Amino acid sequence: IAHSPIEELGTEGEMSSENLDRVLKLKSLMDSGVITKEEFEAQKNKLIHGSSSSDSVESKLKDLKSLLDSGAINQSEYDEQKRKLLEKL
């Protein structure tokens, strides 16, 4: 059974609204194929458990995906840069 990020928090409100926004953005990235479900889950868990996230990683991931889609970078370059960006979260 899938649970939303809000349901996973229970009633204690452990996640800040900023982190909730980040989870929603990551979900959007997963839905659009920019990140995998496994990457989404890993990043969501970091946010739920209090790991900090650098600002604008989500927009950088979208920009990176656009570069890949346009042919400006190849799949290998995309994968490497995406990995580096996700490590910052």
Side-chain angles (χ1 to χ4, degrees):
I1 298 173
H3 298 284
S4 73
I6 293 171
E7 291 171 1
E8 290 181 17
L9 294 175
T11 58
E12 298 192 38
E14 298 164 1
M15 183 182 288
S16 70
S17 62
E18 181 180 302
N19 282 349
L20 180 56
D21 288 343
R22 287 193 171 124
V23 168
L24 295 173
K25 287 177 184 177
L26 287 166
K27 170 80 166 78
S28 176
L29 290 171
M30 180 185 68
D31 291 344
S32 63
V34 175
I35 63 174
T36 65
K37 179 176 173 111
E38 291 78 17
E39 291 166 330
F40 167 76
E41 291 295 333
Q43 297 310 315
K44 180 183 76 170
N45 287 333
K46 283 183 184 179
L47 290 169
I48 288 173
H49 298 295
S51 293
S52 64
S53 171
S54 65
D55 53 285
S56 76
V57 170
E58 294 89 357
S59 66
K60 289 177 183 177
L61 282 169
K62 286 181 182 181
D63 291 344
L64 192 61
K65 177 71 167 127
S66 294
L67 290 171
L68 175 65
D69 291 344
S70 70
I73 61 173
N74 64 38
Q75 186 67 47
S76 177
E77 293 168 320
Y78 169 79
D79 291 341
E80 176 66 15
Q81 292 304 313
K82 181 174 79 167
R83 182 189 61 75
K84 288 179 182 178
L85 285 170
L86 291 173
E87 286 176 356
K88 293 180 181 181
L89 291 177

